[in-house]
Amino acid sequence: MHFLRRWPPARAATAAVCAAALVGAGCVPPPPQIAQPRRAAPPATPAPAPDDHTVVLGADVLVRQYGLARADALARMRAQPARIAAALDLQARLGLPAGSVWIDHAGGGRVVARTASAGAADIAAAVGAQQGVEAMVVASEHTPTEIAATATDLAAALQAEGIDGFAVGYDPVTDTFALAVPPAAVPGEPPAETAEDAATDAGLQPDDVVVEEVPGIETAACTPDGRHCDPPLRGGPVMRGPTATGIVYCSAGFVGRTASSGAPVVLTAGHCAAGAGPASVWSAYVPGAAAWRELGTAAGTAFGAQGDSAAVGVRDATGWAPGPALVAGPVSTAPAGVRSQSYRIEAIQRPVVGAVLCLSGSSAGTSCGEVTQVGASVAYSIGTSTVVVNGLAALDLRCRGSMCTGDSGGPVYANSLGFGLVSGGSLSGSTRTIDNGVYRVTVACGNGVVFLEDLPRAASRLGVVVGARDWRARGWL
């Protein structure tokens, strides 16, 4: 498993219809015209606001994945924030771990919780009524304590066996544990068999676990392609930091402000900051100046049990004029122009299983997919050691989209809400050459699973406020 940071080698007419009033011929003159009071024109019906690109692209995912009619898919994407809020509310009221509640698109978009708790059905009905969505519960063979303990044991067992590049998570839809391991690379017991043995040792039955071979899980850095932008500073474009051996490129995530002082920062992946080093000065390219402009140094780096996030301080706040927005690059499958030069992020929210979210990386552009796990543990190979990052969500891009090295730290968002930062994912062996006049480099890409850091967790740990709503409340907008 490798990082998704990037290490480059060296860059009518309208027709007026008039009706004439005919007056009958004869000797009788027409009656005098009586002035009528002018009636106010009825108010024009406003045209519906166009859907933002996350609704449009997310609907594409639902159409392809579930065979929904286009109108139904669009309606579900527009209503997604309410379903996510209901899922998180139900999860909290039932005391369930992250990832135990999901949006069931195969079942009409209802919110479903998997639990054996007494009285859960009544709570689900109350939450559904309050949020205006259908909510229900289904039985689980595992308690929340068992789920957390089993997932921890499985991750520890795989790490003890020396397997690099695995992911362990709980799938609430099937009530099973999902293990992703690399294919066999050398003679001996394949990692898949080792994973099955670990599941047996953990007391799981064959029907309780699904083992999948996933090759090359990698961790993932406005010109016409959205990789570079003049001020104001936004999330999404590429940024770089020097290392002892060269330069590391990652993606800017969300622009935030520290809760204590209001100082602007850029959130990105923690492994990017760790790779560049704590004293490295990060920069972003400014097309208008045809030069890289300094951002600042990273602080609060976490890469491991606390997640995968860091904050890069913005030294020149006046020159960068940071704002609560991001640049959504071109669709990865049709790289002709950005989706949005300034997509406003109003607030942040935790991801839930079944939510359709979009990511915008500086290498691959914009892709959307469905969240399949929350709270997964993912192992990344760093030199001769393995770092296990806990609490990540999995986003499935197999229906539409891709991710490339250099996308690390990129924003994950939908419906004007921020959900996460790109951490890593599975690369399938395809490549893409980036040649934007600033650098030329060939990067590895894939269209499998993407792992993302929970944005509310990262913001809370770093003491950072993200989103226009809270900025306005604090007088920053």
Side-chain angles (χ1 to χ4, degrees):
M1 188 173 296
H2 307 281
F3 289 115
L4 292 184
R5 59 192 182 198
R6 182 171 64 247
W7 303 85
R11 131 45 250 76
T14 59
V17 180
C18 299
L22 299 180
V23 177
C27 299
V28 180
Q33 298 295 315
I34 300 174
Q36 299 291 330
R38 178 171 297 183
R39 296 180 181 179
T45 302
D51 291 314
D52 76 43
H53 67 275
T54 65
V55 171
V56 175
L57 298 180
D60 291 345
V61 173
L62 294 177
V63 168
R64 297 186 183 193
Q65 187 102 355
Y66 297 98
L68 299 182
R70 180 76 180 172
D72 187 14
L74 287 169
R76 289 198 193 180
M77 284 303 302
R78 295 175 190 133
Q80 178 168 260
R83 289 187 168 95
I84 292 174
L88 293 171
D89 187 14
L90 185 56
Q91 176 179 293
R93 293 197 196 190
L94 294 176
L96 297 176
S100 297
V101 182
W102 74 97
I103 300 171
D104 182 14
H105 291 292
R110 61 193 175 185
V111 173
V112 184
R114 188 173 286 281
T115 178
S117 301
D122 292 338
I123 296 175
V127 170
Q130 182 178 2
Q131 296 289 350
V133 302
E134 181 185 358
M136 61 176 293
V137 298
V138 294
S140 174
E141 296 183 2
H142 310 283
T143 67
T145 301
E146 290 172 346
I147 292 173
T150 301
T152 299
D153 291 345
L154 289 173
L158 295 179
Q159 187 174 12
E161 290 292 335
I163 296 178
D164 291 328
F166 66 79
V168 175
Y170 170 71
D171 181 359
V173 180
T174 59
D175 201 18
T176 60
F177 292 89
L179 282 69
V181 296
V186 296
E189 183 176 275
E193 292 186 12
T194 301
E196 292 170 354
D197 292 342
T200 301
D201 293 341
L204 297 176
Q205 300 299 316
D207 291 343
D208 291 332
V209 62
V210 175
V211 179
E212 181 181 8
E213 290 187 343
V214 179
I217 295 181
E218 307 275 340
T219 62
C222 299
T223 49
D225 58 11
R227 292 188 178 94
H228 306 295
C229 293
D230 291 322
L233 179 65
R234 289 150 283 179
V238 67
M239 57 188 218
R240 72 178 189 181
T243 72
T245 57
I247 294 175
V248 58
Y249 289 81
C250 284
S251 297
F254 297 90
V255 175
R257 289 180 177 271
T258 59
S260 58
S261 66
V265 298
V266 177
L267 300 185
T268 190
H271 68 258
C272 293
S280 297
V281 177
W282 287 84
S283 303
Y285 190 82
V286 177
W292 291 88
R293 177 182 291 177
E294 177 182 305
L295 284 173
T297 56
T301 300
F303 180 47
Q306 291 184 304
D308 187 6
S309 61
V312 175
V314 180
R315 293 179 179 174
D316 181 11
T318 301
W320 277 112
L326 58 86
V327 174
V331 176
S332 61
T333 55
V338 298
R339 302 301 300 182
S340 174
Q341 287 283 357
S342 186
Y343 185 88
R344 179 65 66 95
I345 297 298
E346 288 295 331
I348 62 178
Q349 185 62 283
R350 295 189 182 279
V352 301
V353 174
V356 178
L357 309 179
C358 299
L359 66 87
S360 192
S362 61
S363 290
T366 301
S367 297
C368 304
E370 184 178 359
V371 176
T372 57
Q373 294 177 29
V374 174
S377 296
V378 181
Y380 294 123
S381 179
I382 311 299
T384 58
S385 62
T386 298
V387 177
V388 177
V389 182
N390 298 322
L392 300 182
L395 188 68
D396 185 358
L397 293 184
R398 285 175 287 189
C399 184
R400 178 188 179 94
S402 65
M403 172 197 61
C404 302
T405 54
D407 289 339
S408 282
V412 181
Y413 59 100
N415 303 102
S416 296
L417 301 173
F419 289 88
L421 304 165
V422 174
S423 173
S426 173
L427 300 188
S428 60
S430 63
T431 60
R432 172 178 298 178
T433 297
I434 298 172
D435 186 358
N436 52 31
V438 181
Y439 55 78
R440 176 184 172 87
V441 62
T442 299
V443 297
C445 299
N447 63 347
V449 63
V450 174
F451 297 105
L452 58 109
E453 162 72 347
D454 181 300
L455 178 58
R457 176 175 72 163
S460 176
R461 185 185 64 80
L462 293 165
V464 173
V465 179
V466 178
R469 184 183 66 191
D470 286 343
W471 283 30
R472 284 192 294 267
R474 294 169 180 259
W476 296 335
L477 279 180

